[in-house]
Amino acid sequence: MTDLTSCTWNLSRLYAAPDAPELEQDLNAGPAMATAFRQRHFGTLSRLKVTELATVLTEYEAMQEQLVRPQVYAQLLFAADSTNPAHQILAQRAMEFGNALSRETLFFELELIALPDDHFATLLSAKELSSYHHFLATLRRYKPHALPEREEQLLKQKTLTGMDAFCRLFDELAASYTFRFTFDGEERDCTGEELMALLHHPDTVTREAAFSTFLDRHATDQVTYGAVFNTMALDHAQELELRSYTGGPMEPTNQGNELSATIVEQLMTVTEANYPLAQRYFRLKSKLLGLPHFKNTDIYAPVTGSDRTYTLAEARDLVLAAYGNFSPELSDIADRFFSEGRIDSPPRPGKSGGAFCLGISPHLPPYVLTNFTGTLRDVATLAHELGHGIHFVLAQEQRLVNYHPPLPLAETASVFGEMLLTAHLLASKPDRQTKISLLCATIEDIIATTCRQVMLTRFEENLHHERSAGLVTVERICELWTTENAKLFGDAVTMIEPYRWGWSYISHFIHTRFYCYAYTFAELLVLSLYRQYQQQGAAFVPIYRQILTSGGSLSPADTVAPAGISLETTEVWQLGYAILADLITELEQTIQPINGSSNNTEQLSN
């Protein structure tokens, strides 16, 4: 059995060490490789026969896979410890390396985008290019927004001292924080992850003090955060103008997600119409905790008797069993993250906060980072990130250009994994109090990944709209943040005063424009998929596997079509909230005094 007392990454599958000669060789060889590719193919793509273009596409993928290895290695080292000077230097070098190479090879996609319509139609119908069909069709949609190569190169080059630099500033600033806090009567330094974990502490004063300490520290750097957020929004607005986007700040994201603005707006509108469901739960949780004034620091509070913690070994066993109940293959894939040293779990100073899974390519293994502190939510996070890992492994059946799933489907496997975990825990026939705890955790996760994510998206959208008219002060950003949260919370939740700075630590706003609605999309989609699994049993497993193995080879609509799901109506979204309403009803029934007929049936474990 794998020793889980010190579960950290083993990156030797990429390079033996930061000073490995192979790493230096690859960093040095990259520019020559990219230059040689350019010299062979620049200006030739419109003249190539179908079979010749297929060969060049294969060559392009092989080059990209070789060039990405040193970049992801540096990224993983930096995520594990951003305070290490060697990691900082390598990360910056890798960023500049990747930027230079992308400028050198940029011509390739631009020439494909610019091919004459009749020639492009011939390529899409060619059998020899069938595995590249979606890649080529996706590129073609950017034709109205692509710029001449020299302009594209300059934009990429300037990102090093533009948004890339601000992203790095944001990351390093957040990773540099330590917080002084009193744990069990002893004052000591701790990480942000340790403080955020205290939102699940049984004591209401401790919860509020921990979150306030976390937010107050961010408030001391409000000038920096204000500059970063304003620069991010201004940079985005300028790119919209340069690329002739006219459909608002979300248009490039929607286009990249292969979703119409109508589908996205329907998703968000249906969610906002269901905010009262969240408020219904918050009022129920307030009564359950016996709190006359329910604050946003109380949302994730444990219910009485449910404050147990888990070792990483226990969490691993629970998650593997949950996946194994669904498919032994998925459990085996998840287990290899532990046995092969591809997961880094303990929180520590300098380590990136939160959690992520990095999928690299069809021939390089994915890696998982978490900050495991032993809460039930950390167990769910483990199931979530390993779901990503399973998705990345199964998608390795695809070519590199079709490897990464589109953003709306990127969270599908992760959220489904959380559902499997909850079903596994409920199926163990827990006592009444544990069942209440599990139902609360499940409901809170659904609210957090649907209602909260739409709230975040609306805030982000409003921030971008306001920045288009001029600089947005930090006070105004705080107002925008508070306003959108108030719509979600209604009169059921009181926000603590420091929460006005809650926008400042959310990295998605900085790294990936309008990422957050993808969580809502995935959660509601998964609820529909899970309902089908409940109805079909083992017959659903190959359908689900097909969805994951497709990677990015199909549009979101085509990917989920085998499951009989249409994205063109609101039904799939409202079904998710109907399931949420059922869970809240079940919780209400479960917390009633036990009587002879109160043996409720678990919604998720059937």
Side-chain angles (χ1 to χ4, degrees), residues 493-534:
V493 179
T494 300
M495 289 176 274
I496 64 171
E497 195 280 333
Y499 188 59
R500 58 200 295 267
W501 301 102
W503 53 272
S504 62
Y505 68 89
I506 299 175
S507 61
H508 286 325
F509 295 151
I510 304 303
H511 288 288
T512 311
R513 304 298 165 270
F514 302 101
Y515 185 100
C516 294
Y517 79 70
Y519 285 106
T520 306
F521 185 106
E523 179 73 51
L524 297 178
L525 175 63
V526 163
L527 288 172
S528 293
L529 291 173
Y530 197 87
R531 179 57 56 89
Q532 291 194 30
Y533 171 50
Q534 288 179 311

Side-chain angles (χ1 to χ4, degrees), residues 3-9 312 343 345-346:
D3 178 14
L4 297 186
T5 58
S6 57
C7 194
T8 55
W9 278 328
L312 184 59
I343 183 167
S345 64

Side-chain angles (χ1 to χ4, degrees), residues 56-76:
V56 176
L57 283 164
T58 302
E59 179 187 348
Y60 174 75
E61 289 180 296
M63 176 188 66
Q64 291 292 345
E65 185 153 12
Q66 185 167 343
L67 296 179
V68 78
R69 183 189 293 258
Q71 297 177 68
V72 297
Y73 179 70
Q75 181 181 346
L76 291 170

Side-chain angles (χ1 to χ4, degrees), residues 240-304:
L240 293 177
E241 181 180 355
L242 287 169
R243 297 191 180 282
S244 302
Y245 284 105
T246 59
M250 293 176 66
E251 185 180 5
T253 300
N254 295 344
Q255 183 177 25
N257 291 342
E258 301 180 68
L259 297 174
S260 68
T262 300
I263 289 176
V264 175
E265 185 58 33
Q266 286 177 337
L267 168 71
M268 295 177 66
T269 301
V270 168
T271 297
E272 290 170 321
N274 283 278
Y275 279 0
L277 269 181
Q279 294 161 17
R280 174 183 162 193
Y281 171 72
F282 295 146
R283 293 189 185 96
L284 182 61
K285 181 73 176 280
S286 178
K287 293 179 180 178
L288 192 59
L289 296 174
L291 296 175
H293 302 291
F294 191 69
K295 302 179 181 179
N296 61 309
T297 50
D298 300 320
I299 291 173
Y300 304 114
V303 294
T304 303

